[in-house]
Amino acid sequence: MAAKNPDSTNGVEKRTKWTVERGSAVVNIYLTPHGGEDYFTVSYWVDKKRVRQVFPTLQKAKDVAAEKASQMTTGDIGAAKLTNADSAAYRRAIALLEPIGVALEFAAADYAAAKKQLGGVSLSHVVDYYLKRNPVDVEPVMVRKVVDELLTLKESEQLSLRYRKQLAYDLNRFAGQFRNRIGDVLGTDIDAWLRGMKVGPRTRNNLRNSIQALFNFAMSRKYLPKDHDELDAVPLARDGDGEIEIYTPEEMTELLSVASKEHIPFLAISAFAGVRHAELQRLDWSHVRRETGVIEIKAGTAKTASRRLIPIQPNLEAWLDKQWKESGEICSYANMVLQFVELTRRVNVKRRAVWAKKNKVSKEKLAEADREAAKRLAELERNQRRSRRTVRPGAETAEAEGWRPFLWKHNALRHSFISYRVAQTQDVSRVALEAGNSPGMIFKHYRELVREADGKKWFSIMPKAKAKTKAKPKR
């Protein structure tokens, strides 16, 4: 790095020229700033030609100026002349720099500074790397602008509202963190940001997928080069919490036995057709085609934006027989989680009643246990009270009383359908089409989860037939 002008005070230049004299010989030194740094140009005449030499410090310039002045005084000016080879090299250098309008001394100063920082790395290699990341024909665009353009585009496409809301949530978080040009966002920085968010592996991977969609869009708009690969530095998180949970046929029978008339359609369609909860909230009775025996999941309804047909199994047809309508929403609940909590509570209340009857537990004992449970829960912190593993609706007394509680399992209705359907059909590709999953995903997670006999048992769960009342004999 060039030295600052030693003859300056508080940033105000005191001198821009120095003169070195030896007898009648005069050599001038000029302050010639370049690139934010101070350089010093030694200027003198040899054979009626002006010679300039640039130095990074004033002292070096003074030493050379004194040497040249002494040579001119003694008549020994040969040292100040260029050899034939040097003269030819000088002329070639001047010719190369002339089209870009850069003086030779400044070009040499920039090159020397760059080589000093790069060490053994080729300057042309660095330039190639920079141009790959910042092509001259690519418009530099801020992350916020690209996010807004992508979200506006998604609004015009027939994608599910749930997907669009999630994409907007993810990308707005990303734009809030990275407020620079999209071409300057490094994969290592994205990885560090995701790891620092302290979220689960599934959430982290979902965020990464949203960022990938953003980068793909930016490439399509030529905001990024086609071979942009920064997300290669962001590995997928290992989803150790993604263990598949399913219900047994007995547990499913319990759920259906306590369900209300309004609960039956979404429970049965989830369990025996594998329709996702979000898809169910958009599903209409007109999509349940009794005449053809299929449920149609339209592209605008599906999570994957792809239309699919799911066969209506005989037991599903039986569960929907009394519920089916020509049209109208199947699931009217805006918050299905609340319904899961209520169903869990009902199953546990029923289990406790069976346990109490079997063990001849009095109402007084049950009431006392309820009071103790309420007291214990009141002492828990708020986050503990909201944990489904800590507080199981309807089962607050289960641990103290010693009966097995029922716990709602994450996405288990759909997981159960896929698992039992694979066991029933032994055809992964067929089930993948019905469920809207990839065959690879189903082969990996569901192929050997249950036995074939369990599959038959699952799809044999039927509503209980009401006992027929005997007709009174006519008198």
Side-chain angles (χ1 to χ4, degrees), residues 271-309:
F272 305 129
V275 178
R276 297 178 176 92
H277 297 324
E279 294 171 339
L280 258 171
Q281 290 179 304
R282 299 186 292 271
L283 195 64
D284 191 273
W285 278 110
S286 61
H287 302 153
V288 182
R289 309 193 187 284
R290 299 178 75 181
E291 66 281 2
T292 55
V294 297
I295 296 175
E296 180 186 12
I297 306 297
K298 293 182 176 291
T301 300
K303 175 185 176 182
T304 57
S306 299
R307 175 179 178 269
R308 71 182 191 273
L309 299 175

Side-chain angles (χ1 to χ4, degrees), residues 249 252-254 256-257 264 268 272 312-321 456-466:
M252 190 65 218
T253 301
E254 277 187 287
L256 290 166
S257 71
I264 292 294
F272 305 129
I312 298 175
Q313 301 300 318
N315 70 327
L316 176 56
E317 183 178 11
W319 282 104
L320 299 181
D321 182 53
K456 292 180 180 179
K457 192 173 182 180
W458 181 263
F459 291 102
S460 297
I461 299 173
M462 289 284 191
K464 288 185 177 181
K466 291 185 178 180

Side-chain angles (χ1 to χ4, degrees), residues 139-439:
E139 178 186 355
V141 182
M142 303 301 287
V143 169
R144 178 75 264 172
K145 181 176 184 295
V146 186
V147 168
D148 291 342
E149 287 186 11
L150 175 58
L151 296 180
T152 299
L153 176 67
K154 294 301 182 183
E155 285 290 334
S156 65
E157 297 179 348
Q158 291 185 342
L159 299 175
S160 71
L161 178 62
R162 180 175 179 270
Y163 168 75
R164 286 186 279 119
K165 283 185 175 181
Q166 188 62 52
L167 182 67
Y169 179 73
D170 291 345
L171 294 185
N172 283 329
R173 295 173 79 179
F174 181 73
Q177 175 68 24
F178 297 93
R179 302 181 181 183
N180 49 341
R181 297 182 300 180
I182 193 165
D184 294 336
V185 178
L186 299 177
T188 51
D189 292 337
I190 297 173
D191 185 52
W193 175 61
L194 291 176
R195 292 178 186 276
M197 294 183 74
K198 307 299 182 184
V199 295
R202 184 172 299 176
T203 300
R204 194 167 116 200
N205 288 339
N206 289 340
L207 274 166
R208 185 188 185 280
N209 290 340
S210 295
I211 297 168
Q212 181 70 73
L214 179 70
F215 282 1
N216 290 343
F217 172 75
M219 286 186 276
S220 72
R221 291 293 177 92
K222 298 188 183 303
Y223 298 151
L224 292 174
K226 288 184 178 180
D227 59 350
H228 187 271
D229 59 0
E230 282 301 318
L231 274 188
D232 289 350
V234 186
L236 287 169
R238 296 185 62 181
D239 193 354
D241 298 327
E243 183 180 351
I244 298 299
E245 293 183 299
I246 65 172
Y247 291 121
T248 65
E250 292 74 23
E251 288 174 324
M252 190 65 218
T253 301
E254 277 187 287
L255 270 174
L256 290 166
S257 71
V258 300
S260 66
K261 181 180 177 181
E262 292 74 23
H263 290 144
I264 292 294
F266 81 72
L267 280 177
I269 292 175
S270 296
F272 305 129
V275 178
R276 297 178 176 92
H277 297 324
E279 294 171 339
L280 258 171
Q281 290 179 304
R282 299 186 292 271
L283 195 64
D284 191 273
W285 278 110
S286 61
H287 302 153
V288 182
R289 309 193 187 284
R290 299 178 75 181
E291 66 281 2
T292 55
V294 297
I295 296 175
E296 180 186 12
I297 306 297
K298 293 182 176 291
T301 300
K303 175 185 176 182
T304 57
S306 299
R307 175 179 178 269
R308 71 182 191 273
L309 299 175
I310 308 170
I312 298 175
Q313 301 300 318
N315 70 327
L316 176 56
E317 183 178 11
W319 282 104
L320 299 181
D321 182 53
K322 303 296 184 182
Q323 307 277 2
W324 188 84
K325 303 174 185 177
E326 289 288 343
S327 62
E329 59 184 4
I330 290 175
C331 178
S332 59
Y333 299 110
N335 190 338
M336 294 184 71
V337 174
L338 295 179
Q339 305 311 311
F340 302 155
V341 171
E342 173 59 18
L343 287 165
T344 301
R345 188 192 66 78
R346 292 185 186 186
V347 173
N348 282 324
V349 167
K350 187 175 179 180
R351 286 190 178 186
R352 189 189 188 201
V354 172
W355 168 83
K357 183 178 181 180
K358 181 180 178 180
N359 292 276
K360 299 179 180 180
V361 180
S362 68
K363 291 182 180 181
E364 290 74 16
K365 285 287 187 181
L366 294 176
E368 183 182 349
D370 288 336
R371 288 191 293 270
E372 289 295 324
K375 182 179 178 181
R376 178 178 59 83
L377 292 177
E379 295 174 352
L380 295 177
E381 295 181 3
R382 183 178 180 183
N383 63 329
Q384 290 178 309
R385 291 199 301 271
R386 297 182 64 177
S387 170
R388 71 188 186 112
R389 298 272 178 193
T390 303
V391 181
R392 304 177 182 187
E396 295 82 0
T397 63
E399 184 176 356
E401 293 174 336
W403 53 273
R404 185 173 62 87
F406 174 82
L407 176 65
W408 191 271
K409 301 172 184 177
H410 176 69
N411 214 17
L413 294 174
R414 174 175 163 80
H415 290 163
S416 297
F417 165 78
I418 297 174
S419 301
Y420 291 117
R421 186 70 171 143
V422 169
Q424 181 191 48
T425 64
Q426 298 296 306
D427 189 338
V428 169
S429 297
R430 178 180 174 182
V431 177
L433 288 174
E434 295 174 0
N437 263 2
S438 68

Side-chain angles (χ1 to χ4, degrees), residues 79-93:
K81 294 182 179 180
L82 298 174
T83 65
N84 289 338
D86 289 341
S87 179
Y90 174 78
R91 289 194 298 272
R92 287 196 301 272

